[in-house]
PDB file of all heavy atoms in Angstrom:
ATOM      1  N   ARG A 715       0.804  -3.657   0.674  1.00 82.00           N
ATOM      2  CA  ARG A 715       2.011  -2.959   1.111  1.00 82.00           C
ATOM      3  C   ARG A 715       2.482  -2.059  -0.019  1.00 82.00           C
ATOM      4  O   ARG A 715       2.691  -2.502  -1.135  1.00 82.00           O
ATOM      5  CB  ARG A 715       3.091  -3.982   1.447  1.00 82.00           C
ATOM      6  CG  ARG A 715       3.867  -3.592   2.682  1.00 82.00           C
ATOM      7  CD  ARG A 715       4.609  -4.770   3.207  1.00 82.00           C
ATOM      8  NE  ARG A 715       6.027  -4.507   3.198  1.00 82.00           N
ATOM      9  CZ  ARG A 715       6.919  -5.383   3.645  1.00 82.00           C
ATOM     10  NH1 ARG A 715       6.523  -6.557   4.086  1.00 82.00           N
ATOM     11  NH2 ARG A 715       8.178  -5.084   3.643  1.00 82.00           N
ATOM     12  N   GLU A 743       7.722 -11.536  11.329  1.00 84.00           N
ATOM     13  CA  GLU A 743       7.391 -11.782  12.735  1.00 84.00           C
ATOM     14  C   GLU A 743       7.945 -10.739  13.687  1.00 84.00           C
ATOM     15  O   GLU A 743       7.445 -10.580  14.794  1.00 84.00           O
ATOM     16  CB  GLU A 743       7.945 -13.137  13.165  1.00 84.00           C
ATOM     17  CG  GLU A 743       7.173 -14.290  12.614  1.00 84.00           C
ATOM     18  CD  GLU A 743       8.111 -15.417  12.281  1.00 84.00           C
ATOM     19  OE1 GLU A 743       8.947 -15.755  13.119  1.00 84.00           O
ATOM     20  OE2 GLU A 743       8.034 -15.930  11.151  1.00 84.00           O
ATOM     21  N   GLN A 744       9.000 -10.044  13.260  1.00 84.00           N
ATOM     22  CA  GLN A 744       9.574  -9.031  14.143  1.00 84.00           C
ATOM     23  C   GLN A 744       8.570  -7.928  14.429  1.00 84.00           C
ATOM     24  O   GLN A 744       8.725  -7.158  15.359  1.00 84.00           O
ATOM     25  CB  GLN A 744      10.805  -8.370  13.500  1.00 84.00           C
ATOM     26  CG  GLN A 744      11.947  -9.291  13.158  1.00 84.00           C
ATOM     27  CD  GLN A 744      11.832  -9.781  11.738  1.00 84.00           C
ATOM     28  OE1 GLN A 744      10.821 -10.373  11.372  1.00 84.00           O
ATOM     29  NE2 GLN A 744      12.849  -9.558  10.923  1.00 84.00           N
ATOM     30  N   THR A 745       7.558  -7.830  13.601  1.00 88.00           N
ATOM     31  CA  THR A 745       6.616  -6.721  13.678  1.00 88.00           C
ATOM     32  C   THR A 745       5.270  -7.219  14.181  1.00 88.00           C
ATOM     33  O   THR A 745       4.739  -8.190  13.655  1.00 88.00           O
ATOM     34  CB  THR A 745       6.454  -6.099  12.279  1.00 88.00           C
ATOM     35  OG1 THR A 745       7.744  -5.910  11.710  1.00 88.00           O
ATOM     36  CG2 THR A 745       5.723  -4.787  12.352  1.00 88.00           C
ATOM     37  N   GLU A 748      -0.577  -5.515  15.081  1.00 88.00           N
ATOM     38  CA  GLU A 748      -1.290  -4.313  15.524  1.00 88.00           C
ATOM     39  C   GLU A 748      -0.451  -3.059  15.287  1.00 88.00           C
ATOM     40  O   GLU A 748      -0.970  -1.975  15.034  1.00 88.00           O
ATOM     41  CB  GLU A 748      -1.698  -4.426  17.001  1.00 88.00           C
ATOM     42  CG  GLU A 748      -0.560  -4.769  17.919  1.00 88.00           C
ATOM     43  CD  GLU A 748      -0.996  -4.881  19.389  1.00 88.00           C
ATOM     44  OE1 GLU A 748      -1.933  -4.184  19.783  1.00 88.00           O
ATOM     45  OE2 GLU A 748      -0.373  -5.662  20.123  1.00 88.00           O
ATOM     46  N   GLN A 749       0.885  -3.249  15.353  1.00 88.00           N
ATOM     47  CA  GLN A 749       1.789  -2.139  15.097  1.00 88.00           C
ATOM     48  C   GLN A 749       1.660  -1.686  13.642  1.00 88.00           C
ATOM     49  O   GLN A 749       1.570  -0.494  13.353  1.00 88.00           O
ATOM     50  CB  GLN A 749       3.209  -2.618  15.390  1.00 88.00           C
ATOM     51  CG  GLN A 749       4.279  -1.554  15.417  1.00 88.00           C
ATOM     52  CD  GLN A 749       5.609  -2.128  15.901  1.00 88.00           C
ATOM     53  OE1 GLN A 749       5.708  -3.299  16.252  1.00 88.00           O
ATOM     54  NE2 GLN A 749       6.632  -1.302  15.927  1.00 88.00           N
ATOM     55  N   ARG A 751      -0.919  -2.222  11.708  1.00 92.00           N
ATOM     56  CA  ARG A 751      -2.261  -1.683  11.490  1.00 92.00           C
ATOM     57  C   ARG A 751      -2.329  -0.223  11.916  1.00 92.00           C
ATOM     58  O   ARG A 751      -2.926   0.603  11.246  1.00 92.00           O
ATOM     59  CB  ARG A 751      -3.298  -2.499  12.263  1.00 92.00           C
ATOM     60  CG  ARG A 751      -4.698  -1.891  12.135  1.00 92.00           C
ATOM     61  CD  ARG A 751      -5.770  -2.789  12.655  1.00 92.00           C
ATOM     62  NE  ARG A 751      -5.718  -2.948  14.094  1.00 92.00           N
ATOM     63  CZ  ARG A 751      -6.557  -3.701  14.779  1.00 92.00           C
ATOM     64  NH1 ARG A 751      -7.496  -4.372  14.153  1.00 92.00           N
ATOM     65  NH2 ARG A 751      -6.457  -3.796  16.083  1.00 92.00           N
ATOM     66  N   GLN A 753       0.016   1.961  11.931  1.00 91.00           N
ATOM     67  CA  GLN A 753       0.717   2.867  11.022  1.00 91.00           C
ATOM     68  C   GLN A 753       0.113   2.884   9.617  1.00 91.00           C
ATOM     69  O   GLN A 753       0.053   3.927   8.991  1.00 91.00           O
ATOM     70  CB  GLN A 753       2.197   2.468  10.959  1.00 91.00           C
ATOM     71  CG  GLN A 753       3.057   3.474  10.211  1.00 91.00           C
ATOM     72  CD  GLN A 753       4.540   3.137  10.340  1.00 91.00           C
ATOM     73  OE1 GLN A 753       4.957   2.482  11.284  1.00 91.00           O
ATOM     74  NE2 GLN A 753       5.325   3.589   9.385  1.00 91.00           N
ATOM     75  N   LYS A 759      -6.650   0.978   3.887  1.00 92.00           N
ATOM     76  CA  LYS A 759      -8.105   0.973   3.711  1.00 92.00           C
ATOM     77  C   LYS A 759      -8.485   1.856   2.518  1.00 92.00           C
ATOM     78  O   LYS A 759      -9.346   1.497   1.713  1.00 92.00           O
ATOM     79  CB  LYS A 759      -8.751   1.498   5.004  1.00 92.00           C
ATOM     80  CG  LYS A 759     -10.166   1.051   5.201  1.00 92.00           C
ATOM     81  CD  LYS A 759     -10.232  -0.354   5.752  1.00 92.00           C
ATOM     82  CE  LYS A 759     -11.679  -0.812   5.836  1.00 92.00           C
ATOM     83  NZ  LYS A 759     -11.779  -2.191   6.315  1.00 92.00           N
ATOM     84  N   ARG A 763     -10.347   0.788  -0.918  1.00 92.00           N
ATOM     85  CA  ARG A 763     -11.597   1.435  -1.319  1.00 92.00           C
ATOM     86  C   ARG A 763     -11.527   1.874  -2.778  1.00 92.00           C
ATOM     87  O   ARG A 763     -12.478   1.736  -3.536  1.00 92.00           O
ATOM     88  CB  ARG A 763     -11.856   2.641  -0.416  1.00 92.00           C
ATOM     89  CG  ARG A 763     -13.171   2.550   0.272  1.00 92.00           C
ATOM     90  CD  ARG A 763     -13.545   3.711   1.168  1.00 92.00           C
ATOM     91  NE  ARG A 763     -12.510   4.625   1.559  1.00 92.00           N
ATOM     92  CZ  ARG A 763     -12.038   4.712   2.803  1.00 92.00           C
ATOM     93  NH1 ARG A 763     -12.476   3.918   3.740  1.00 92.00           N
ATOM     94  NH2 ARG A 763     -11.134   5.610   3.095  1.00 92.00           N
ATOM     95  N   ARG A 779     -11.925  -6.828   2.351  1.00 94.00           N
ATOM     96  CA  ARG A 779     -11.422  -7.239   3.661  1.00 94.00           C
ATOM     97  C   ARG A 779      -9.993  -6.735   3.728  1.00 94.00           C
ATOM     98  O   ARG A 779      -9.280  -6.719   2.730  1.00 94.00           O
ATOM     99  CB  ARG A 779     -11.424  -8.773   3.785  1.00 94.00           C
ATOM    100  CG  ARG A 779     -12.809  -9.402   3.734  1.00 94.00           C
ATOM    101  CD  ARG A 779     -13.599  -9.217   5.014  1.00 94.00           C
ATOM    102  NE  ARG A 779     -13.032  -9.927   6.150  1.00 94.00           N
ATOM    103  CZ  ARG A 779     -13.354 -11.177   6.483  1.00 94.00           C
ATOM    104  NH1 ARG A 779     -14.205 -11.865   5.744  1.00 94.00           N
ATOM    105  NH2 ARG A 779     -12.819 -11.751   7.552  1.00 94.00           N
ATOM    106  N   LEU A 780      -9.579  -6.331   4.905  1.00 95.00           N
ATOM    107  CA  LEU A 780      -8.195  -5.915   5.089  1.00 95.00           C
ATOM    108  C   LEU A 780      -7.650  -6.648   6.304  1.00 95.00           C
ATOM    109  O   LEU A 780      -8.237  -6.571   7.386  1.00 95.00           O
ATOM    110  CB  LEU A 780      -8.107  -4.399   5.311  1.00 95.00           C
ATOM    111  CG  LEU A 780      -6.723  -3.864   5.716  1.00 95.00           C
ATOM    112  CD1 LEU A 780      -5.678  -4.168   4.655  1.00 95.00           C
ATOM    113  CD2 LEU A 780      -6.798  -2.368   5.978  1.00 95.00           C
ATOM    114  N   PHE A 782      -4.095  -7.657   8.540  1.00 94.00           N
ATOM    115  CA  PHE A 782      -2.664  -7.573   8.825  1.00 94.00           C
ATOM    116  C   PHE A 782      -2.231  -8.937   9.336  1.00 94.00           C
ATOM    117  O   PHE A 782      -2.838  -9.472  10.259  1.00 94.00           O
ATOM    118  CB  PHE A 782      -2.397  -6.469   9.854  1.00 94.00           C
ATOM    119  CG  PHE A 782      -2.633  -5.113   9.271  1.00 94.00           C
ATOM    120  CD1 PHE A 782      -3.903  -4.568   9.240  1.00 94.00           C
ATOM    121  CD2 PHE A 782      -1.595  -4.417   8.702  1.00 94.00           C
ATOM    122  CE1 PHE A 782      -4.139  -3.339   8.659  1.00 94.00           C
ATOM    123  CE2 PHE A 782      -1.811  -3.182   8.112  1.00 94.00           C
ATOM    124  CZ  PHE A 782      -3.084  -2.639   8.094  1.00 94.00           C
ATOM    125  N   HIS A 784       0.915 -12.286   9.555  1.00 90.00           N
ATOM    126  CA  HIS A 784       2.269 -12.809   9.389  1.00 90.00           C
ATOM    127  C   HIS A 784       2.314 -13.882   8.305  1.00 90.00           C
ATOM    128  O   HIS A 784       3.377 -14.267   7.851  1.00 90.00           O
ATOM    129  CB  HIS A 784       2.787 -13.403  10.708  1.00 90.00           C
ATOM    130  CG  HIS A 784       3.046 -12.375  11.756  1.00 90.00           C
ATOM    131  ND1 HIS A 784       2.487 -12.427  13.013  1.00 90.00           N
ATOM    132  CD2 HIS A 784       3.785 -11.252  11.734  1.00 90.00           C
ATOM    133  CE1 HIS A 784       2.884 -11.376  13.711  1.00 90.00           C
ATOM    134  NE2 HIS A 784       3.673 -10.655  12.961  1.00 90.00           N
ATOM    135  N   THR A 789      -4.276 -16.325   5.733  1.00 92.00           N
ATOM    136  CA  THR A 789      -5.320 -15.313   5.676  1.00 92.00           C
ATOM    137  C   THR A 789      -6.222 -15.519   4.465  1.00 92.00           C
ATOM    138  O   THR A 789      -7.453 -15.521   4.578  1.00 92.00           O
ATOM    139  CB  THR A 789      -4.667 -13.921   5.618  1.00 92.00           C
ATOM    140  OG1 THR A 789      -3.882 -13.743   6.782  1.00 92.00           O
ATOM    141  CG2 THR A 789      -5.706 -12.834   5.512  1.00 92.00           C
ATOM    142  N   ARG A 792      -8.449 -18.506   4.785  1.00 91.00           N
ATOM    143  CA  ARG A 792      -9.563 -18.272   5.708  1.00 91.00           C
ATOM    144  C   ARG A 792     -10.669 -17.461   5.027  1.00 91.00           C
ATOM    145  O   ARG A 792     -11.859 -17.761   5.155  1.00 91.00           O
ATOM    146  CB  ARG A 792      -9.043 -17.521   6.948  1.00 91.00           C
ATOM    147  CG  ARG A 792     -10.113 -17.151   7.958  1.00 91.00           C
ATOM    148  CD  ARG A 792      -9.488 -16.558   9.214  1.00 91.00           C
ATOM    149  NE  ARG A 792      -8.779 -15.318   8.991  1.00 91.00           N
ATOM    150  CZ  ARG A 792      -9.360 -14.113   8.984  1.00 91.00           C
ATOM    151  NH1 ARG A 792     -10.661 -14.007   9.166  1.00 91.00           N
ATOM    152  NH2 ARG A 792      -8.649 -13.028   8.759  1.00 91.00           N
TER     153      ARG A 792
ATOM    154  N   ASP B 414     -17.223   2.687   4.955  1.00 41.00           N
ATOM    155  CA  ASP B 414     -16.175   3.528   5.536  1.00 41.00           C
ATOM    156  C   ASP B 414     -16.192   3.443   7.055  1.00 41.00           C
ATOM    157  O   ASP B 414     -17.245   3.462   7.662  1.00 41.00           O
ATOM    158  CB  ASP B 414     -16.398   4.987   5.138  1.00 41.00           C
ATOM    159  CG  ASP B 414     -16.204   5.152   3.650  1.00 41.00           C
ATOM    160  OD1 ASP B 414     -15.998   4.126   2.962  1.00 41.00           O
ATOM    161  OD2 ASP B 414     -16.281   6.282   3.177  1.00 41.00           O
ATOM    162  N   PRO B 440      -9.023   1.269  18.010  1.00 35.00           N
ATOM    163  CA  PRO B 440      -8.212   0.466  17.099  1.00 35.00           C
ATOM    164  C   PRO B 440      -7.756  -0.802  17.813  1.00 35.00           C
ATOM    165  O   PRO B 440      -7.553  -1.835  17.194  1.00 35.00           O
ATOM    166  CB  PRO B 440      -7.027   1.366  16.768  1.00 35.00           C
ATOM    167  CG  PRO B 440      -7.007   2.411  17.813  1.00 35.00           C
ATOM    168  CD  PRO B 440      -8.396   2.542  18.330  1.00 35.00           C
ATOM    169  N   ASP B 450     -12.473  -6.598  12.292  1.00 53.00           N
ATOM    170  CA  ASP B 450     -12.180  -5.361  11.589  1.00 53.00           C
ATOM    171  C   ASP B 450     -12.802  -4.203  12.350  1.00 53.00           C
ATOM    172  O   ASP B 450     -13.998  -4.144  12.548  1.00 53.00           O
ATOM    173  CB  ASP B 450     -12.782  -5.450  10.184  1.00 53.00           C
ATOM    174  CG  ASP B 450     -12.196  -4.393   9.284  1.00 53.00           C
ATOM    175  OD1 ASP B 450     -11.769  -3.349   9.811  1.00 53.00           O
ATOM    176  OD2 ASP B 450     -12.163  -4.616   8.076  1.00 53.00           O
ATOM    177  N   GLY B 454      -8.761  -2.580   9.711  1.00 86.00           N
ATOM    178  CA  GLY B 454      -8.305  -3.897   9.305  1.00 86.00           C
ATOM    179  C   GLY B 454      -8.298  -4.909  10.424  1.00 86.00           C
ATOM    180  O   GLY B 454      -8.268  -4.572  11.595  1.00 86.00           O
ATOM    181  N   GLU B 455      -8.334  -6.172  10.027  1.00 91.00           N
ATOM    182  CA  GLU B 455      -8.311  -7.273  10.983  1.00 91.00           C
ATOM    183  C   GLU B 455      -6.867  -7.681  11.259  1.00 91.00           C
ATOM    184  O   GLU B 455      -5.969  -7.351  10.512  1.00 91.00           O
ATOM    185  CB  GLU B 455      -9.021  -8.501  10.397  1.00 91.00           C
ATOM    186  CG  GLU B 455     -10.395  -8.247   9.847  1.00 91.00           C
ATOM    187  CD  GLU B 455     -10.764  -9.296   8.804  1.00 91.00           C
ATOM    188  OE1 GLU B 455     -10.716 -10.486   9.122  1.00 91.00           O
ATOM    189  OE2 GLU B 455     -11.096  -8.912   7.684  1.00 91.00           O
ATOM    190  N   GLU B 457      -4.627 -11.147  11.769  1.00 91.00           N
ATOM    191  CA  GLU B 457      -4.709 -12.599  11.604  1.00 91.00           C
ATOM    192  C   GLU B 457      -4.099 -13.283  12.815  1.00 91.00           C
ATOM    193  O   GLU B 457      -3.030 -12.914  13.283  1.00 91.00           O
ATOM    194  CB  GLU B 457      -3.946 -13.011  10.348  1.00 91.00           C
ATOM    195  CG  GLU B 457      -4.143 -14.457   9.955  1.00 91.00           C
ATOM    196  CD  GLU B 457      -5.505 -14.708   9.330  1.00 91.00           C
ATOM    197  OE1 GLU B 457      -5.961 -13.878   8.542  1.00 91.00           O
ATOM    198  OE2 GLU B 457      -6.116 -15.744   9.649  1.00 91.00           O
ATOM    199  N   SER B 521       0.683  -6.304  22.397  1.00 83.00           N
ATOM    200  CA  SER B 521       2.132  -6.264  22.580  1.00 83.00           C
ATOM    201  C   SER B 521       2.432  -5.477  23.849  1.00 83.00           C
ATOM    202  O   SER B 521       1.822  -4.447  24.106  1.00 83.00           O
ATOM    203  CB  SER B 521       2.803  -5.551  21.416  1.00 83.00           C
ATOM    204  OG  SER B 521       2.668  -6.324  20.261  1.00 83.00           O
ATOM    205  N   SER B 594      17.222  -9.271  12.247  1.00 90.00           N
ATOM    206  CA  SER B 594      15.851  -8.900  12.587  1.00 90.00           C
ATOM    207  C   SER B 594      15.446  -7.612  11.871  1.00 90.00           C
ATOM    208  O   SER B 594      14.271  -7.376  11.626  1.00 90.00           O
ATOM    209  CB  SER B 594      15.693  -8.746  14.102  1.00 90.00           C
ATOM    210  OG  SER B 594      16.503  -7.705  14.564  1.00 90.00           O
ATOM    211  N   GLY B 597      15.719  -9.141   7.803  1.00 77.00           N
ATOM    212  CA  GLY B 597      15.224 -10.471   7.445  1.00 77.00           C
ATOM    213  C   GLY B 597      13.722 -10.456   7.311  1.00 77.00           C
ATOM    214  O   GLY B 597      13.015 -10.093   8.243  1.00 77.00           O
ATOM    215  N   ASN B 600      10.029 -15.927   6.794  1.00 64.00           N
ATOM    216  CA  ASN B 600       9.211 -16.406   7.896  1.00 64.00           C
ATOM    217  C   ASN B 600       9.975 -17.503   8.634  1.00 64.00           C
ATOM    218  O   ASN B 600      10.232 -18.567   8.095  1.00 64.00           O
ATOM    219  CB  ASN B 600       7.905 -16.960   7.333  1.00 64.00           C
ATOM    220  CG  ASN B 600       6.877 -17.131   8.409  1.00 64.00           C
ATOM    221  OD1 ASN B 600       7.221 -17.454   9.547  1.00 64.00           O
ATOM    222  ND2 ASN B 600       5.632 -16.917   8.078  1.00 64.00           N
ATOM    223  N   THR B 601      10.376 -17.213   9.869  1.00 68.00           N
ATOM    224  CA  THR B 601      11.243 -18.146  10.587  1.00 68.00           C
ATOM    225  C   THR B 601      10.500 -18.949  11.649  1.00 68.00           C
ATOM    226  O   THR B 601      11.111 -19.712  12.384  1.00 68.00           O
ATOM    227  CB  THR B 601      12.399 -17.397  11.269  1.00 68.00           C
ATOM    228  OG1 THR B 601      11.857 -16.371  12.077  1.00 68.00           O
ATOM    229  CG2 THR B 601      13.344 -16.810  10.249  1.00 68.00           C
ATOM    230  N   ALA B 772       8.366   3.642  17.301  1.00 90.00           N
ATOM    231  CA  ALA B 772       7.615   2.469  16.844  1.00 90.00           C
ATOM    232  C   ALA B 772       7.451   2.421  15.333  1.00 90.00           C
ATOM    233  O   ALA B 772       6.779   1.552  14.813  1.00 90.00           O
ATOM    234  CB  ALA B 772       6.241   2.447  17.497  1.00 90.00           C
ATOM    235  N   ILE B 774       7.530   1.733  11.516  1.00 92.00           N
ATOM    236  CA  ILE B 774       7.885   0.545  10.746  1.00 92.00           C
ATOM    237  C   ILE B 774       8.520   0.988   9.439  1.00 92.00           C
ATOM    238  O   ILE B 774       8.014   1.875   8.761  1.00 92.00           O
ATOM    239  CB  ILE B 774       6.637  -0.316  10.446  1.00 92.00           C
ATOM    240  CG1 ILE B 774       6.039  -0.828  11.747  1.00 92.00           C
ATOM    241  CG2 ILE B 774       6.978  -1.479   9.526  1.00 92.00           C
ATOM    242  CD1 ILE B 774       4.699  -1.494  11.564  1.00 92.00           C
ATOM    243  N   ARG B 777      10.184  -0.487   3.590  1.00 86.00           N
ATOM    244  CA  ARG B 777      10.831  -1.432   2.676  1.00 86.00           C
ATOM    245  C   ARG B 777      10.863  -2.827   3.276  1.00 86.00           C
ATOM    246  O   ARG B 777      10.547  -3.810   2.620  1.00 86.00           O
ATOM    247  CB  ARG B 777      12.236  -0.923   2.389  1.00 86.00           C
ATOM    248  CG  ARG B 777      13.030  -1.882   1.549  1.00 86.00           C
ATOM    249  CD  ARG B 777      13.887  -1.174   0.535  1.00 86.00           C
ATOM    250  NE  ARG B 777      14.720  -2.147  -0.138  1.00 86.00           N
ATOM    251  CZ  ARG B 777      16.007  -1.995  -0.311  1.00 86.00           C
ATOM    252  NH1 ARG B 777      16.596  -0.904   0.132  1.00 86.00           N
ATOM    253  NH2 ARG B 777      16.701  -2.922  -0.933  1.00 86.00           N
ATOM    254  N   GLY B 779       9.369  -3.700   6.333  1.00 88.00           N
ATOM    255  CA  GLY B 779       8.242  -4.028   7.192  1.00 88.00           C
ATOM    256  C   GLY B 779       8.632  -4.287   8.628  1.00 88.00           C
ATOM    257  O   GLY B 779       7.883  -4.889   9.383  1.00 88.00           O
TER     258      GLY B 779
END
Side-chain angles (χ1 to χ4, degrees):
Chain A
R715 220 163 119 178
E743 286 144 48
Q744 300 93 303
T745 313
E748 53 180 329
Q749 190 172 358
R751 176 169 69 180
Q753 189 172 336
K759 203 80 184 178
R763 237 181 345 250
R779 296 285 293 270
L780 172 60
F782 290 84
H784 291 125
T789 300
R792 177 174 63 85
Chain B
D414 294 5
D450 196 333
E455 309 156 56
E457 189 75 41
S521 292
S594 63
N600 195 326
T601 54
I774 297 171
R777 175 141 174 228

